[in-house]
Structures are given as structure tokens and as C-alpha cells.
Amino acid sequence: AMVAIASWLPEERNVWLNIDWGRVGIDRNEAIIRAPAIRDFQEEAEFMPWESIPVAPSKGIVLIIEKKRMNY
């Protein structure tokens, strides 16, 4: 799932997503929220579902909600 968040506030804000995991089809404990690197827009970042996500002043962030990949 992809989510876009924007803020027009003059200061950074931390947000917490309220996700209906059943509708997304991913177990919360197996999920990761990624902000992919987008040139001239945002740096790459990863968040756990229970972490806050910083949104820069007068900016936005694009997030991808997906199941964690297993690293062997």
C-alpha cells in the first residue's frame, strides 16, 4: 500500500498512522513502512508500524507499507 502525507505547518510534526491491518492484508508485526528515496523530494527511511513519522514543515512524505523481507 502507498500513503502520501503532507503538511502545511511551519514546523516539523511527528505523525502516527492508524492502519487497518486487516484491509491492508499484512500482519502488523510483519510489516515495515518505507519512505523510498525520491530524488529532489525525500531521503530513504524505514519505520516500524508503532513509530512516529516526521513530516518536514511545508513538505510531504511518500510511504510504502509492506511485509518485511527476510534476509538470510
Side-chain angles (χ1 to χ4, degrees):
M2 184 184 323
V3 176
I5 302 170
S7 173
W8 287 266
L9 296 172
E11 65 276 338
E12 182 175 290
R13 290 293 174 136
N14 289 320
V15 299
W16 287 264
L17 301 180
N18 185 7
I19 298 170
D20 183 339
W21 294 103
R23 288 189 71 113
V24 174
I26 300 172
D27 182 311
R28 177 181 186 258
N29 296 315
E30 296 177 359
I32 192 78
I33 301 172
R34 289 187 316 103
I38 301 174
R39 187 179 60 208
D40 299 327
F41 183 70
Q42 71 185 26
E43 299 285 322
E44 183 177 29
E46 285 190 353
F47 306 95
M48 298 306 294
W50 48 85
E51 289 184 299
S52 66
I53 298 169
V55 180
S58 300
K59 301 252 182 198
I61 187 168
V62 174
L63 302 168
I64 306 296
I65 301 166
E66 61 188 1
K67 189 172 181 178
K68 291 180 201 171
R69 296 184 188 132
M70 301 303 257
N71 294 328
Y72 297 100

